Amino acid sequence: SLTGSPVTLKILQNWVPRVSHYFDKEHYTYVGHQIVIQESIEHFGAVVWPGALALSQYLESNQEQFNLKDKKVLEIGAGTGLLSIVACILGAHVTATDLPEVLENLSYNISRNTQNLNMHKPEVRKLVWGEGLNEDFPVSTHHYDFILATDVVYHHGALDPLLATMVYFCKPGTVLLWANKFRFSTDYEFLEKVCNIFNTTILAEFPESNVKLLKATVRKN
């Protein structure tokens, strides 16, 4: 069951759209830094979705509640990398992960936007939900303070592996922050499964964008 009375927020239009034919470059400003994101029209994962904007904005505005400085942060389904870049600027040790076909654009955006900043160097890694987790991210050496996920739930067949991935990485002491645009009944069914497994709170809702931002932690036995 869900706890908490969420704040109602609006995604701020803090970017300047630029037009080009193949790659769209979007310019954002978070935490006092201009971030330039290259999008690719070829992959779902290479477009900035509203959940990433919502969680980036929330982390920027709630740095006391969620202090990322020197924390280990894993983003699953990092897409264009916007949220991982914001987490880097906020001082986190970031590991940004996604499918192999998205990694080139993801790496490009992250390195381009973090290379001259005095911060922990972010890492970009392949992560296919539910596959090779023990081999690639062994529990003994990979413990994260925060798991970030935005718009990872939509019409796709990988919802069970996604849930298994969230469960795998969410250890005692880990906070999962998940922002998603809720469109389909399957989105709400997934939310119900998350609520059945984790202690889940709705932190914020962005009604204009149909985005909900949730915090989930492991239940204490």
Side-chain angles (χ1 to χ4, degrees), residues 2-6 200-202:
L2 283 167
T3 58
S5 46
T200 312
T201 307
I202 302 191

Side-chain angles (χ1 to χ4, degrees), residues 13-212:
Q13 302 285 327
N14 61 345
W15 71 93
V16 190
R18 309 282 167 99
V19 178
S20 70
H21 292 291
Y22 176 62
F23 281 111
D24 263 353
K25 285 196 170 49
E26 297 273 11
H27 296 242
Y28 302 86
T29 307
Y30 288 103
V31 205
H33 292 266
Q34 187 174 24
I35 301 169
V36 182
I37 294 293
Q38 174 173 282
E39 297 186 328
S40 161
I41 48 179
E42 304 217 317
H43 300 295
F44 261 157
V47 176
V48 175
W49 293 95
L53 300 174
L55 187 46
S56 294
Q57 179 180 316
Y58 193 85
L59 288 173
E60 176 184 35
S61 308
N62 294 274
Q63 294 178 48
E64 286 181 10
Q65 186 184 0
F66 297 108
N67 178 7
L68 299 190
K69 189 163 171 48
D70 301 327
K71 298 293 195 299
K72 288 199 162 64
V73 171
L74 174 74
E75 185 178 6
I76 57 175
T80 60
L82 174 65
L83 179 59
S84 281
I85 292 161
V86 171
C88 275
I89 293 169
L90 289 169
H93 293 270
V94 174
T95 303
T97 67
D98 212 314
L99 297 169
E101 60 267 26
V102 180
L103 293 186
E104 189 181 349
N105 192 54
L106 173 60
S107 300
Y108 173 79
N109 281 331
I110 287 184
S111 63
R112 169 190 182 150
N113 286 286
T114 60
Q115 59 193 2
N116 298 323
L117 298 175
N118 178 22
M119 58 175 67
H120 304 298
K121 189 170 164 47
E123 187 183 13
V124 175
R125 293 185 60 180
K126 177 190 87 161
L127 173 58
V128 181
W129 297 334
E131 290 183 18
L133 299 176
N134 289 315
E135 295 79 32
D136 297 340
F137 297 88
V139 174
S140 55
T141 49
H142 292 73
H143 183 281
Y144 297 96
D145 300 297
F146 291 93
I147 309 297
L148 307 180
T150 62
D151 286 314
V152 286
V153 177
Y154 48 91
H155 265 329
H156 61 70
L159 291 178
D160 288 342
L162 170 61
L163 189 60
T165 302
M166 288 176 166
V167 169
Y168 178 82
F169 284 115
C170 263
K171 301 290 179 236
T174 302
V175 173
L176 167 66
L177 295 173
W178 167 42
N180 218 91
K181 188 177 173 81
F182 281 78
R183 314 169 179 78
F184 310 115
S185 60
T186 44
D187 302 346
Y188 287 97
E189 286 161 20
F190 186 87
L191 172 59
E192 201 173 314
K193 287 181 180 173
V194 168
C195 292
N196 288 338
I197 295 173
F198 299 105
N199 288 326
T200 312
T201 307
I202 302 191
L203 296 174
E205 294 188 290
F206 299 76
E208 287 180 20
S209 321
N210 291 328
V211 170
K212 295 183 198 303

